[in-house]
Amino acid sequence: VACRAWDVGLFKAVLAEFLGTGLFLFTGLASIAPWTLASPKLLQASLAFGSSVALMSYCTLPISGGHLNPAVTVSLLVAGKVRQARAGGYIMAQLLGGLTASALLYGLTPEHARGEIGINKLAPGVTLPQAFSIEAIVSFQLVLCVLATSGSRRDPSKGGHLLIGLSVMLGHLVAIRYTGCSMNPARSLGPALIAFEFANHWVFWVGPTTGGLAAAILNDMVLAPTGSGFRQWLTMLQEGPKGPCNLQSKAESTAQEMGLSET
């Protein structure tokens, strides 16, 4: 019975990540559609992406933990806060959600306003090392924020989801002029597949993932160490959070439904 309940919880969590990521990216990408000859405003795009992340994080938090980003999920996996099987399901759901949002937006937008449907690309004069560094830095601060608010996010009254939305908004204010600001491989993959444009696409996967992993390791080893030591951390990373599903307590099951392990 406990195993079946866990399977239902996993299905709901994966569905929440699909819907949350899709809605967040649909609203964000729609805000940068070039309806006029003038480029979308920097502040407009930043507010749209930041507020949509805050809203979807709030909605999906009790169900999946509100990751909405493969780079965040990979970082939480390394930090030992999500199981490997769950992380894999989340990442697939997030990528599919981004692709669905991009396809839906493409179909609903008049041809003259589609432009490049939000493809991430390097601005003129920006080199690959510069683009990679910018993406890594803004993703670093995002994952650090997620980890710092992981406790308060369970209590919506503490506003953890709002802080994450501000972090995403800050990342866009910094990075839009360099790369269009990805911070999220699911955000980059959807438009790239729809337009079939993959120039320098690896930057928008490796950059956010590298920044997120650096934040997770720094947080776990220095800022908020668990005290278990490097060898125990490697063991945890290989085995994942312990506890067979037929012996899970109610509290642990709740935490797993959120995509996080108890700290």
Side-chain angles (χ1 to χ4, degrees), residues 81-193:
K81 297 184 180 296
V82 61
R83 294 179 184 273
Q84 294 177 3
R86 183 175 290 260
Y90 279 15
I91 291 171
M92 293 299 296
Q94 292 155 0
L95 295 176
L96 185 58
L99 177 59
T100 303
S102 300
L104 185 60
L105 182 62
Y106 184 86
L108 294 176
T109 305
E111 186 175 355
H112 74 274
R114 287 172 183 166
E116 296 181 326
I117 61 170
I119 293 176
N120 285 119
K121 60 180 182 179
L122 277 60
V126 175
T127 65
L128 284 173
Q130 290 171 337
F132 169 83
S133 299
I134 287 292
E135 287 292 332
I137 290 170
V138 294
S139 301
F140 177 90
Q141 62 87 24
L142 170 62
V143 172
L144 206 59
C145 178
V146 170
L147 291 169
T149 60
S150 60
S152 63
R153 288 170 66 211
R154 302 190 185 193
D155 183 357
S157 65
K158 295 183 179 179
H161 57 287
L162 295 177
L163 294 175
I164 293 171
L166 287 174
S167 178
V168 171
M169 185 176 71
L170 174 62
H172 280 76
L173 288 171
V174 170
I176 278 183
R177 298 193 189 279
Y178 290 85
T179 63
C181 189
S182 172
M183 301 176 70
N184 186 336
R187 179 259 182 270
S188 298
L189 180 64
L193 280 174

Side-chain angles (χ1 to χ4, degrees), residues 1-18 57-68 76 81-83 86-87 90 153-154 241 245 248-262:
V1 173
C3 287
R4 288 197 297 270
W6 186 84
D7 290 340
V8 171
L10 176 60
F11 171 77
K12 292 194 296 184
V14 170
L15 180 61
E17 286 294 311
F18 168 76
S57 176
Y58 179 85
C59 293
T60 59
L61 172 63
I63 306 171
S64 67
H67 295 191
L68 310 178
L76 293 179
K81 297 184 180 296
V82 61
R83 294 179 184 273
R86 183 175 290 260
Y90 279 15
R153 288 170 66 211
R154 302 190 185 193
C245 61
Q248 289 170 340
S249 64
K250 181 178 180 180
E252 185 181 2
S253 298
T254 301
Q256 286 182 344
E257 288 180 4
M258 296 173 63
L260 302 171
S261 64
E262 290 291 339

